[in-house]
């Protein structure tokens, strides 16, 4: 961390400080289901506010294509305010007058959250004109969003190039913990990758299989691999156009001596609904009109055996649709097993990701893991050994 300027070097008193945070929290029917990402950014916000800085929070939410009220950060501002214990103002846009008017009204120690940066195409394009619009609002830039640092976006990368940039406390803590825990991990290392963001994560598995001894695949990611091997997956969530990539990863894993552990059975239902009638089928007998929503009991046994063989487990992505019972069972069983091995001193367990953290909290074991990161995709890219644009831009 010595390579970065941190809040220790920032003179924030009376300054407008643009603070990039990750408030991409799991949400169901407008309700935040896990507040870990909010809690993790509080130290940075408090420190800047206590030192007399004017805190202007920048964040994305979801993956909107243009302005979409369903992906507004407004409800998140209320939640940040509750967790912070002080009022957090909200601006209806992150640039222009809608942003500059509330920014100009800030007093030392105040906190303001700007609307979803992804409502503007310039954010993901890292468009210099959009970067300038954002930069106009602040004197300094602090990046506390390690979990979005794998994106070279305007608010995660571009701003650090035009304003004096500093790492926030969570950014510092994440990098320190991951470096300490995983720079030279105890072998065997088993990676568990599940979840739904198949297209944005599948490519990095190609590299990951050369770094770990076994790769357990679950969730929507596993469905994509099962389809690639020529088996039917019914109406399951998958990205079938990535079959060739999946096959390439399987071959690369074979060359690298990395075992690939795919589900051998799946819990299926006709609909994605809590309590939906469900049945477990062998992976070669998934009915055409059903979807796989969790790994089955035989798969769980294999996953637990893989965890038993591991000295280090790194995990991103739930193994099933854990938000709706009973499709949480695979994720809960694997999480509790890894937690127990960790408590017994037999395992170093590191997990990351917005929904992954929510799943560990749901299983009641987040505190038993060696380290829980807020980052999912960024965590996997860091593991791969890739440099993260948001981190690189902060190097002094
Ligand atoms: N078989 C499945 N069918 C449908 N959805 C699934 C299945 N398995 C997992 N999921 C969904 O995957 C989602 C989480 O995936 P995601 O890749 O976003 O993980 P994450 O931990 O949030 O990582 P990141 O922080 O990168 O977003 C959950 O909402 C879960 O319901
Ligand atoms: O949830 C995450 O992993 C981060 O907030 C990044 O989100 P993204 O994958 O939509 O860029």
């Amino acid at each position: 961390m010595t390579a970065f300027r941190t809040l220790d070097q920032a003179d924030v008193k009376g300054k407008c400080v643009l603070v990039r945070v990750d408030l991409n929290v799991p949400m169901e029917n407008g309700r935040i289901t896990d507040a870990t990402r909010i809690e993790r950014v509080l130290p940075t916000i408090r420190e800047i506010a206590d030192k007399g800085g004017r805190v202007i929070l920048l964040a994305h939410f979801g993956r909107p294509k243009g302005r979409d009220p369903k992906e507004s950060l407004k409800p998140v501002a209320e939640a940040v305010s509750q967790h912070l214990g002080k009022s957090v103002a909200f601006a209806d846009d992150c640039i222009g007058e809608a942003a500059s008017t509330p920014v100009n009204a800030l007093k030392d120690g105040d906190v303001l959250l700007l609307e979803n940066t992804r409502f503007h195409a310039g954010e993901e394009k890292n468009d210099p004109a959009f970067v300038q619009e954002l930069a106009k609002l602040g004197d300094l830039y602090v990046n506390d969003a390690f979990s979005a640092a794998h994106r070279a976006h305007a608010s995660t990368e571009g701003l650090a190039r035009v304003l004096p940039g500093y790492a926030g406390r969570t950014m510092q803590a994440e990098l320190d913990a991951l470096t300490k825990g995983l720079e030279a991990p105890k072998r065997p290392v088993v990676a568990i990758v599940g979840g739904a963001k198949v297209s944005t994560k599948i490519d990095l598995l190609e590299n990951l299989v050369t770094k770990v001894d076994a790769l357990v695949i679950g969730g929507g990611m596993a469905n994509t691999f099962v389809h690639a091997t020529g088996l039917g997956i019914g109406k399951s969530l998958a990205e079938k156009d990535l079959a060739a990539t999946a096959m390439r990863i399987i071959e690369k894993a074979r060359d690298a001596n990395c075992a690939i552990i795919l589900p051998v059975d799946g819990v299926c239902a006709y609909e994605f609904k809590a309590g939906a009638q469900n049945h477990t089928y062998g992976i070669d007998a998934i009915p055409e009109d059903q979807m796989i929503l969790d790994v089955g009991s035989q798969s769980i046994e294999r996953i637990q055996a893989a965890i038993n063989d591991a000295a280090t487990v790194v995990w991103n992505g739930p193994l099933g649709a854990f938000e709706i019972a009973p499709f949480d069972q695979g994720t809960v069983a694997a999480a509790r097993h890894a937690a127990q091995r960790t408590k017994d001193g037999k395992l170093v367990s590191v997990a990351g990701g917005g929904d992954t953290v929510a799943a560990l909290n749901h299983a009641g074991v987040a505190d038993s893991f060696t380290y829980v990161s807020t980052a999912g995709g960024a965590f996997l890219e860091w593991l791969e050994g890739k440099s993260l644009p948001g981190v690189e831009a902060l190097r002094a």
Side-chain angles (χ1 to χ4, degrees), residues 103-125:
V103 165
N104 292 335
L106 289 174
K107 298 192 182 59
D108 294 357
D110 283 353
V111 184
L112 167 72
L113 171 63
L114 306 183
E115 182 59 286
N116 197 341
T117 50
R118 288 190 183 171
F119 282 180
H120 295 271
E123 163 70 345
E124 290 177 62
K125 287 191 192 135

Side-chain angles (χ1 to χ4, degrees), residues 145-152 156 200 204 376-379 381 387-391:
F146 172 72
S147 43
H150 56 321
R151 308 289 179 218
T156 59
T200 56
L204 51 89
F379 167 51
E381 289 197 20
S387 54
L388 307 181
V391 174

Side-chain angles (χ1 to χ4, degrees), residues 186-192 214-216 261 299-315 319 330-344 346-350 360 369:
K186 260 191 163 175
R187 292 198 168 263
V189 180
V190 174
I192 305 177
L215 172 64
V216 172
I261 299 160
S299 306
I300 295 174
E301 275 177 32
R302 286 178 177 223
I303 294 167
Q304 290 179 331
I307 294 171
N308 289 345
D309 290 341
T312 303
V313 162
V314 289
W315 184 353
L319 300 174
T331 305
V332 167
R336 292 192 177 151
H337 195 74
Q340 192 55 52
R341 300 274 306 169
T342 309
K343 276 200 217 156
D344 294 344
K346 295 185 171 129
L347 184 70
V348 171
S349 53
V350 181
L360 296 189
F369 270 58

Side-chain angles (χ1 to χ4, degrees), residues 37 195-197 201 219-220 223 272 292 316 318 320-321 323 353-356 376-377:
R37 281 182 170 167
K197 287 182 179 170
K201 291 182 186 166
N223 298 340
F272 191 98
I292 308 168
N316 168 250
E323 299 93 337
D355 288 301
T356 307

